[in-house]
Amino acid sequence: MLSDQAGDGKRTSLHGFWSSRMAFILAVTGSAVGLGNIWKFPYIAGQNGGGAFVLVYLFCVVLIGMPVMMSEILIGRRGRRNPVASMALLGEEEGSSRNWQWVGGMGVLAGILILSYYSVIAGWTLEYVAKSASGVFTGASADLVGAEFGAFIGDWRKVVLVHTLFMGLTIFVVARGVERGLEQLVKFMVPALLVLLLVLLGYSMTSGHFGEGLAFLFMPDFGKLTWESVLVALGHAFFTLSIGMGAIMAYGAYLPEDTSITGTSTAVVAADTLIALLAALVIFPLVFANDLNTAEGPGLVFQTLPLALGQMPGGAFFSTIFFVLLSFAAWTSAIGLMEPAVAWIVEQFKKTRAQAAVMIGGLIWLLGLCSAMSFNVLSDFRFLINVDTDGDGIMDAKGTIFDNVDYLTSNIMLPLGGLLITVFAGWVMCRNSTADELGGSGGFYTAWRLLARFIAPIGILVVLINAVS
Ligand code: TRP
């Protein structure tokens, strides 16, 4: 997929280029579409009261997510290195300082931390492929499906095993080079996921309480909105688009000069948002029809879908396919999460990709053990952030390791990274540089610059300050 011809006389990539505009769009889409859309978005929308939260999330995606994504791609393409080195190089070149490399460094760290728990949840999806195929959910009651889930995550050996399996698969692909195979996989997976979600939507519309689900998701009740949930919505906009940590910057480093950054970003943001909304539209009508709790938390998709599909003809089949596709989606995201760290190790310490993948992957696996055990042996080890354990809207306990790592990365590190990235692209880089990358000074450029200089950084700052204080 990568070729080594440069677009023109500019700085050339250290690793070759994406073979086509489509290859890049597919790689970025593959990183964006993942557990964030199907596992996380529905459960946090449920925990944060639905409608108003969804609306804030959509605003964040468009007004903050878009300009951050464009900034990341343009910085990556101009720097042509891993995020740490690109930020250092451009910081110097634009007359500021090499210290901007710390933004890249924070991204490398965020990627490692996110993948440590992401891999645990991805392991759950692997387990659910096997469970669905075995037919345990066929005709099962809500209690039984809940008990299956509880028994599984309560068994640390099983959770660690599937986490290990998933990390092994991820290390394997990253070691061989992100480019190979990824394109084909994403090309098949995203459309297949879309089709399956549409099939499930059909089922949900006929067998679920569709009106109730629709109202929950799209009728905003601003009384339920706190600064805390606004921060969760903002953090999720970053998480789901894979931005704020240099992953898209790392991919942008391999992008040919003649590709439109605005066009690519628009396509990726639209596909990612569509899939998240579809997933929520499938899940909530089923939640209401089966009298489940909207604020169920991380187990939501693992309980609603098997339950509902267990009652549908051919349910075991659809459920298996669904979790297979979700595992693939998680896999292509995991590859993106490792890319900044791996590219950095390869360039900085002159290691091979395989060595870097094993080193970084091993570290991530080790850290992931803490999150894996947050659901069983370490479930009473709680600190720092407040959480609502029974879904009644009252914060009644401290968070587990998993809760804290998720909160720190999604709600603090990614928005902070996004803030610094837009400040860099909007204020530190001169107009000529950014106009050059974004192709001219037309309406799109002006809009981007307004968002990157003012709306995005100020928006992020206001939310962070209000939510934390
Ligand atoms: N966007 C991914 C998802 O929704 C998760 C993610 C966050 C990610 N940051 C990333 C993936 C960076 C790749 C690179 O599941």
Side-chain angles (χ1 to χ4, degrees), residues 54-213:
V54 173
L55 195 66
V56 174
Y57 155 78
L58 291 174
F59 267 101
C60 291
V61 163
V62 175
L63 296 179
I64 298 176
M66 268 298 280
V68 173
M69 182 176 283
M70 291 169 67
S71 304
E72 274 202 37
I73 303 177
L74 81 85
I75 293 170
R77 185 164 74 180
R78 213 171 173 76
R80 290 272 182 235
R81 275 156 184 68
N82 71 76
V84 182
S86 286
M87 293 296 285
L89 183 72
L90 294 185
E92 200 164 44
E93 204 168 88
E94 298 284 345
S96 178
S97 126
R98 291 185 66 83
N99 282 329
W100 285 97
Q101 67 184 319
W102 291 103
V103 178
M106 183 170 76
V108 167
L109 184 64
I112 290 172
L113 289 174
I114 294 176
L115 188 51
S116 77
Y117 75 83
Y118 198 87
S119 165
V120 172
I121 311 296
W124 296 3
T125 66
L126 292 178
E127 172 76 13
Y128 268 65
V129 171
K131 272 197 198 301
S132 303
S134 78
V136 278
F137 299 128
T138 309
S141 65
D143 287 344
L144 191 97
V145 175
E148 274 291 321
F149 179 72
F152 164 58
I153 63 165
D155 184 344
W156 70 269
R157 276 157 305 196
K158 280 195 184 147
V159 179
V160 167
L161 181 74
V162 287
H163 161 59
T164 308
L165 187 61
F166 184 80
M167 268 322 290
L169 290 170
T170 304
I171 293 171
F172 175 72
V173 191
V174 174
R176 298 185 55 206
V178 262
E179 59 277 19
R180 267 178 269 161
L182 190 56
E183 187 175 356
Q184 296 308 322
L185 186 60
V186 178
K187 224 183 229 168
F188 148 83
M189 177 201 77
V190 174
L193 200 56
L194 259 175
V195 170
L196 189 61
L197 282 172
L198 288 173
V199 171
L200 296 182
L201 182 66
Y203 175 73
S204 186
M205 285 172 90
T206 49
S207 308
H209 292 180
F210 196 67
E212 231 177 304

Side-chain angles (χ1 to χ4, degrees), residues 31-37 114 118 236 238-243 245 247 272 332-337 414:
S31 91
V33 174
L35 296 173
N37 306 59
I114 294 176
Y118 198 87
H236 188 66
F238 279 92
F239 184 92
T240 190
L241 297 175
S242 306
I243 53 178
M245 49 155 282
D272 186 80
T332 56
S333 296
I335 294 165
L337 279 163
L414 298 184

Side-chain angles (χ1 to χ4, degrees), residues 278-310:
L278 269 178
L281 269 177
V282 168
I283 289 172
F284 284 102
L286 300 175
V287 168
F288 291 114
N290 292 289
D291 264 329
L292 302 174
N293 185 356
T294 52
E296 177 63 43
L300 187 66
V301 66
F302 294 94
Q303 299 187 44
T304 346
L305 279 182
L307 172 65
L309 293 177

